[in-house]
């Protein structure tokens, strides 16, 4: 039995969905894309083009939701399947788009550089329980206009895992699509075996900006999967209650699912979220709050009830350093996410309200992820019964350390964390240098970087990526790419 | 690969049947038993111990290797006795008086045997006099004591005091271990060595048997 957490009764979930539909039909949404408004009008929505507003209909909602796939697969750069997003299957990815990087030498946050990103991409490529990479932070040493694409370029160049990303502009999307195509070969091949998911989120309350709605439609048409990480802030931009926030969140996220289906029926979409309570003491948006976990778990249940695969920003922390707060918030979020069955969990590595990525934290979080995934595998009898022969063996041999049963099932039954989590007794720990967790994380990150191997692309792929990215940088006044140290 | 290297290799892999077969071949090839012991069996255990220390293999691998060692030892034991070859060493082990916990002590025993030692396991709830008398009667040079309870740890001191009273210090050397035991405690009570797990116990006892200084700076 897979252990599963549930927070909503059937009645409450249905009520939240009904309230969301009422918002979509009764209040409608601000939609700043003419193309999106046109699509909605074509499918029966009432549209105020001048006011850039649309009111959905019940029939339109039903038809669009029916068209959305309940699950889809993701592939690495070589076309090997890595993800099956649906059911209660869970996959982790580092949280995306931090503007700061935690400097491992100073322990302070600073603007990231290419070298930081390369280090990150190399490390994430070597973490088996982190199924996808993400464009986790924004290197500041290229022109602003290409920073979204540059993250993707660096990720593709150094790591073959599928990538969770997003464009900052319509032009950025076109460039990013080009980069993906260089790796995959053709638009059809990219659609057939997608290896990127783009984040496209509405603006709470009830608004789609032109850029994000255009990105959403472009992705749908191109067959590129989308996640919709809607970000209501309970008590500020959404009702103070979890239930009320879930209703607004559902309306906004459903609207994205619907728009994608109108653009391309069957478009692959993750019903996502990055909700948080608004901390009225500090004017911040805590991702490590209990209410955040409740909202994330709740939105997952709503998404599953709508027969959609899901995503949420969980397993991350608001701490400013690799400290106990970082561990406890990340750990609790990861457990709730995994036991809820959220299909794509975006979080590892992130600190400070999604503002700061840390490679060392990512390495620690990988251990947390491993423990959480083990928890989700639950309790499974493995040739255990009748148990008496085994106990007789124990009584006779005095231990079961090398019993056939132990040797056969040890690897499946016991999860052994890597070198980050200290499990030696105190004396051994002292003898081996009495290292602290941040030291071990640093050492492990260095070791992973040292053991990194470049993706096994043909040389033309690397050359094509460099050529396209260099051209984009030149168009914005930077003649050469920063040193990749490759 | 030479025969002795093959024995070491197969022992490291925990292949008891193959180790036995190769040991038989080595005996047939008239390789001296002492060479089979040192160049094959113990060399293989050393490889496993080294990998264990580096976290490359874990306890079951060590125990499987120990089992393979045992399979080889059974075959050469009569030859070692015939040739007058001394075993690596002989140790008395036991959990101290008042304490019934023996998991750690048993692990040390298995690993010591695997490393080629002769082990006299006195079991649990062992009185100080019994440790000393068993060591003298059995010709052991090392006494290994285990305790899981803080309340039974002082018995370790009693054993060492008894050794001192009977002027056996140097002839009988002591190593202690167990969850509440620390190296500082070992120094405090005058033990020769402290071991924090099975593999470290083998290392410490090996050092003591070889005349190493131990915690107190000499036998």
């Amino acid at each position: 039995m897979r252990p599963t957490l549930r927070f909503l009764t059937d009645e409450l979930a249905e009520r939240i969905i009904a309230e969301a539909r009422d918002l979509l039909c009764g209040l409608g949404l601000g939609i700043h894309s003419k193309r999106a408004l046109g699509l909605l009008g074509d499918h029966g929505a009432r549209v105020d083009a001048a006011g850039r507003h649309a009111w959905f209909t019940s029939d339109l909602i039903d038809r669009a939701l029916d068209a959305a796939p309940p699950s889809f697969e993701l592939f690495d750069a070589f076309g090997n399947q890595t993800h099956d997003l649906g059911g209660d299957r869970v996959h982790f990815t580092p949280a995306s788009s931090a503007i700061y990087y935690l400097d491992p030498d100073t322990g302070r946050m600073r603007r990231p550089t290419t070298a930081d990103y390369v280090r990150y991409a190399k490390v994430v490529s070597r973490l088996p329980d982190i199924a996808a990479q993400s464009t986790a932070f924004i290197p500041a040493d290229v022109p602003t206009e290409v920073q979204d694409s540059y993250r993707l370029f660096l990720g593709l160049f150094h790591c073959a895992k599928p990538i969770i990303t997003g464009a900052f502009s319509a032009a950025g999307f076109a460039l990013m699509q080009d980069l993906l195509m260089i790796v995959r070969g053709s638009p059809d091949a990219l659609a057939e075996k997608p290896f990127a998911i783009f984040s496209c989120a509405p603006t709470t309350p009830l608004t789609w900006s032109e850029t994000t709605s255009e990105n959403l439609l472009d992705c749908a048409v191109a067959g590129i999967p989308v996640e919709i990480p809607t970000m209501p802030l309970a008590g500020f931009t959404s009702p103070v209650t979890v239930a009320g926030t879930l209703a607004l969140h559902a309306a906004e996220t459903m609207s994205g699912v619907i728009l994608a289906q109108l653009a391309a029926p069957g478009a692959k979409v993750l019903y996502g979220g990055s909700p948080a309570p608004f901390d009225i003491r500090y004017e911040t948006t805590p991702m490590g709050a209990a209410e955040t976990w409740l909202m994330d778990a709740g939105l997952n249940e709503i998404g599953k009830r709508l027969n959609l695969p899901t995503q949420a920003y969980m397993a991350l922390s608001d701490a400013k350093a690799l400290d106990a707060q970082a561990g406890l918030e990340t750990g609790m979020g990861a457990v709730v996410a995994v036991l809820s069955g959220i299909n794509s969990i975006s979080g590892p590595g992130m600190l400070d309200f999604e503002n700061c990525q840390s490679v060392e934290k990512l390495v620690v979080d990988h251990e947390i992820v491993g423990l959480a995934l083990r928890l989700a595998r639950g309790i499974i009898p493995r040739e255990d019964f009748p148990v008496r022969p085994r106990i007789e063996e124990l009584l006779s041999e005095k231990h079961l350390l090398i019993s056939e049963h132990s040797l056969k099932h040890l690897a499946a039954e016991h999860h052994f964390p890597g070198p980050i989590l200290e499990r030696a007794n105190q004396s051994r720990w002292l003898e081996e240098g009495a290292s602290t967790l941040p030291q071990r994380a640093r050492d492990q990150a260095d070791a992973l970087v040292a053991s990194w191997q470049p993706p096994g692309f043909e040389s033309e792929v690397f050359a094509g990526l460099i050529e396209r990215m260099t051209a984009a940088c030149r168009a914005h006044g930077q003649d050469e790419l920063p040193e990749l140290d490759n | 690969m030479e025969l002795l290297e093959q024995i070491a290799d197969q022992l490291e892999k925990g292949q008891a049947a193959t180790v036995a077969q190769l040991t038989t071949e080595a005996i047939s090839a008239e390789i001296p038993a002492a060479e089979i012991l040192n160049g094959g069996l113990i060399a293989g255990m050393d490889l496993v111990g080294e990998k264990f220390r580096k976290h490359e293999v874990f306890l079951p691998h060590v125990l499987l290797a120990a089992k393979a060692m045992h399979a080889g030892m059974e075959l050469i034991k009569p030859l070692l006795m015939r040739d007058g070859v001394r075993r690596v060493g002989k140790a008395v082990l036991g959990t101290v008086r008042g304490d019934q916990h023996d998991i750690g002590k048993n692990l040390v025993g298995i690993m010591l045997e695997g490393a080629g030692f002769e082990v006299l396991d006195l079991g649990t709830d062992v009185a100080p006099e019994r440790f000393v008398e068993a060591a003298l009667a059995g010709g052991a040079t090392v006494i290994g004591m285990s305790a899981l309870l803080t309340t039974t740890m002082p018995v370790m001191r009693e054993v060492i005091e008894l050794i001192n009273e009977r002027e056996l210090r140097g002839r009988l050397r002591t190593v202690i271990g167990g969850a509440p035991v620390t190296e500082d405690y070992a120094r405090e009570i005058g033990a020769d060595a402290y071991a924090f797990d099975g593999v470290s116990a083998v290392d410490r006892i090996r050092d003591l048997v070889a005349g190493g200084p131990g915690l107190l700076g000499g036998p």
Side-chain angles (χ1 to χ4, degrees):
Chain A
M1 181 198 80
R2 188 206 192 276
T4 308
L5 274 178
R6 287 288 171 260
F7 292 92
L8 300 177
T9 61
D10 288 348
E11 187 184 21
L12 181 54
E14 285 301 329
R15 182 61 189 264
I16 287 169
I17 292 170
E19 294 289 334
R21 293 172 71 106
D22 179 60
L23 294 177
L24 289 172
C25 299
L27 290 181
L29 281 90
I31 294 177
H32 297 186
S33 152
K34 285 181 186 166
R35 184 161 52 135
L37 288 170
L39 279 169
L40 285 164
D42 291 346
H43 288 82
R46 181 160 63 90
V47 171
D48 172 4
R52 300 190 297 182
H53 205 91
W55 292 262
F56 291 51
T57 67
S58 200
D59 181 53
L60 183 155
I61 294 170
D62 288 340
R63 276 187 285 121
L65 290 178
D66 281 349
S71 67
F72 62 87
E73 296 165 349
L74 212 56
F75 302 82
D76 68 14
F78 301 105
N80 304 304
Q81 188 191 323
T82 55
H83 289 59
D84 183 2
L85 295 155
D88 53 15
R89 297 173 292 277
V90 296
H91 312 270
F92 279 86
T93 183
S96 289
S97 294
I99 52 174
Y100 293 109
Y101 178 77
L102 190 71
D103 188 309
D105 293 325
T106 65
R108 298 286 179 191
M109 295 181 198
R110 60 166 168 75
R111 296 301 300 278
T113 63
T114 295
D116 301 327
Y117 202 97
V118 169
R119 176 177 165 80
Y120 153 78
K122 288 179 175 178
V123 167
V124 79
S125 75
R126 306 279 292 118
L127 298 174
D129 287 331
I130 304 292
Q133 57 175 322
S134 74
T135 42
F137 53 91
I138 306 167
D141 49 0
V142 292
T144 311
E145 294 85 348
V146 297
Q147 284 179 347
D148 52 357
S149 319
Y150 187 62
R151 303 172 303 164
L152 179 66
F153 161 77
L154 292 176
L156 295 176
F157 206 89
H158 294 93
C159 177
K161 288 184 180 182
I163 187 159
I164 315 295
T165 187
F168 300 160
S169 66
F173 177 78
L175 174 53
M176 294 170 87
Q177 204 176 4
D178 285 352
L179 295 171
L180 292 171
M181 221 74 81
I182 289 167
V183 174
R184 187 56 103 229
S186 72
D188 287 347
L190 185 59
E192 187 189 340
K193 288 191 170 181
F195 78 115
I197 295 178
F198 275 65
S199 278
C200 304
T203 307
T204 301
L206 294 171
T207 306
W208 278 93
S209 72
E210 182 172 14
T211 298
T212 52
S213 48
E214 287 291 328
N215 281 172
L216 176 71
L217 300 179
D218 285 341
C219 286
V221 170
I224 296 172
V226 168
E227 64 179 26
I228 306 173
T230 310
M231 295 170 252
L233 297 173
F236 183 12
T237 62
S238 71
V240 74
T241 55
V242 172
T245 291
L246 284 175
L248 177 61
H249 170 276
E252 295 175 332
T253 311
M254 283 165 67
S255 71
V257 176
I258 293 163
L259 282 172
Q261 301 311 312
L262 296 185
K268 300 175 177 76
V269 182
L270 293 176
Y271 184 93
S274 183
F278 186 67
D279 193 315
I280 53 171
R281 302 168 305 165
Y282 297 103
E283 303 170 31
T284 50
T285 57
M287 304 309 297
E291 298 79 16
T292 305
W293 304 328
L294 287 169
M295 288 182 225
D296 285 323
L299 76 86
N300 170 66
E301 290 177 50
I302 299 291
K304 294 291 166 59
R305 190 165 279 266
L306 295 171
N307 206 21
L308 297 167
T310 57
Q311 179 271 345
Y313 269 77
M314 299 182 84
L316 65 173
S317 171
D318 305 315
K320 316 297 176 251
L322 197 46
D323 59 13
Q325 182 184 346
L328 82 89
E329 291 176 344
T330 303
M332 289 185 71
V335 167
V336 173
V338 160
L339 296 186
S340 294
I342 294 170
N343 302 124
S344 180
I345 303 162
S346 307
M350 193 62 93
L351 293 162
D352 192 38
F353 319 104
E354 300 182 20
N355 283 323
C356 179
Q357 257 287 350
S358 160
V359 168
E360 283 65 32
K361 179 174 186 288
L362 180 62
V363 169
V364 175
D365 293 354
H366 178 252
E367 303 291 10
I368 291 173
V369 169
L371 295 172
L373 292 175
R374 173 62 188 97
L375 204 57
R377 290 201 293 276
I379 300 169
I380 304 166
R382 300 181 197 275
E383 299 178 275
D384 279 299
F385 308 122
V387 78
R388 191 192 294 182
R390 198 124 306 109
I391 306 310
E392 285 170 347
E393 184 186 358
L394 170 61
L395 294 172
S396 149
E397 297 295 319
K398 297 199 167 35
H399 65 83
L400 292 174
L401 284 161
I402 52 174
S403 144
E404 262 188 53
H405 182 262
S406 301
L407 295 174
K408 184 174 178 185
H409 297 296
L410 177 72
E413 194 68 9
H414 291 194
H415 170 74
F416 293 103
I420 303 296
L421 301 185
E422 184 56 66
R423 283 191 178 174
N425 62 37
Q426 186 194 182
S427 298
R428 183 167 173 174
W429 172 69
L430 288 167
E431 186 167 293
E432 292 178 353
S435 63
T436 62
L437 183 133
Q439 286 170 336
R440 292 194 294 276
R442 177 72 187 269
D443 291 346
Q444 177 68 353
D446 288 345
L448 293 173
V449 169
S451 64
W452 169 83
Q453 293 291 321
F457 298 135
E458 299 292 333
S459 57
E460 298 81 48
V461 172
F462 289 114
L465 289 170
I466 288 178
E467 186 183 350
R468 184 68 186 89
M469 197 66 236
T470 304
C473 279
R474 282 186 182 149
H476 294 282
Q478 183 165 319
D479 287 342
E480 300 293 334
L481 297 180
E483 182 68 43
L484 295 184
D485 187 29
N486 201 24
Chain B
M1 195 184 285
E2 285 185 18
L3 200 49
L4 295 185
E5 285 177 27
Q6 286 181 49
I7 291 173
D9 176 65
Q10 290 298 309
L11 189 140
E12 184 204 336
K13 294 186 169 93
Q15 299 295 322
T18 314
V19 167
Q21 181 203 322
L22 292 168
T23 304
T24 305
E25 284 177 29
I27 294 168
S28 300
E30 297 188 349
I31 298 175
E35 278 184 40
I36 299 172
L37 175 65
N38 293 315
L41 301 175
I42 290 176
M45 281 309 292
D46 287 346
L47 289 173
V48 176
E50 191 56 28
K51 285 192 169 182
F52 182 84
R53 274 182 286 276
K54 290 181 182 169
H55 309 285
E56 291 172 3
V57 299
F58 306 107
L59 199 51
H61 300 96
V62 180
L63 297 184
L64 285 169
K67 206 170 175 180
M69 171 90 179
H70 186 72
M73 277 301 291
E74 284 301 299
L75 295 168
I76 61 167
K77 203 184 282 180
L79 305 178
L80 291 171
M81 290 174 70
R82 183 199 65 195
D83 297 347
V85 176
R86 290 178 59 193
R87 295 282 293 274
V88 177
K90 192 183 275 191
V92 164
L93 295 185
T95 305
V96 297
R97 186 181 62 210
D99 204 324
Q100 298 289 344
H101 301 90
D102 63 356
I103 294 172
K105 181 265 297 172
N106 291 345
L107 276 175
V108 170
I110 293 166
M111 291 195 195
L112 269 180
E113 284 183 343
F117 282 81
E118 253 184 277
V119 175
L120 306 171
D121 188 342
L122 305 180
T124 60
D125 193 20
V126 180
E129 300 76 15
R130 207 163 144 239
F131 273 111
V132 175
E133 279 155 20
L136 292 174
T141 56
V142 174
I143 292 175
M145 292 174 275
S146 172
L148 188 80
L149 307 173
T150 51
T151 50
T152 58
M153 282 166 61
V155 179
M156 294 171 162
R157 187 195 294 269
E158 289 181 42
V159 174
I160 290 164
E161 285 172 354
L162 185 60
I163 288 171
N164 291 339
E165 277 169 26
R166 294 176 63 172
E167 298 183 346
L168 294 168
R169 177 141 222 128
R171 184 172 154 195
L172 292 182
R173 306 193 74 189
T174 52
V175 56
I176 66 172
V181 180
T182 63
E183 186 165 306
D184 286 344
Y185 183 72
R187 287 181 198 280
E188 180 190 322
I189 67 172
D192 290 292
Y194 158 75
F196 53 73
D197 63 15
V199 169
S200 72
V202 173
D203 289 345
R204 303 294 181 274
I205 291 173
R206 195 181 269 151
D207 286 347
L208 294 180
V209 167
L215 293 173
L216 304 176

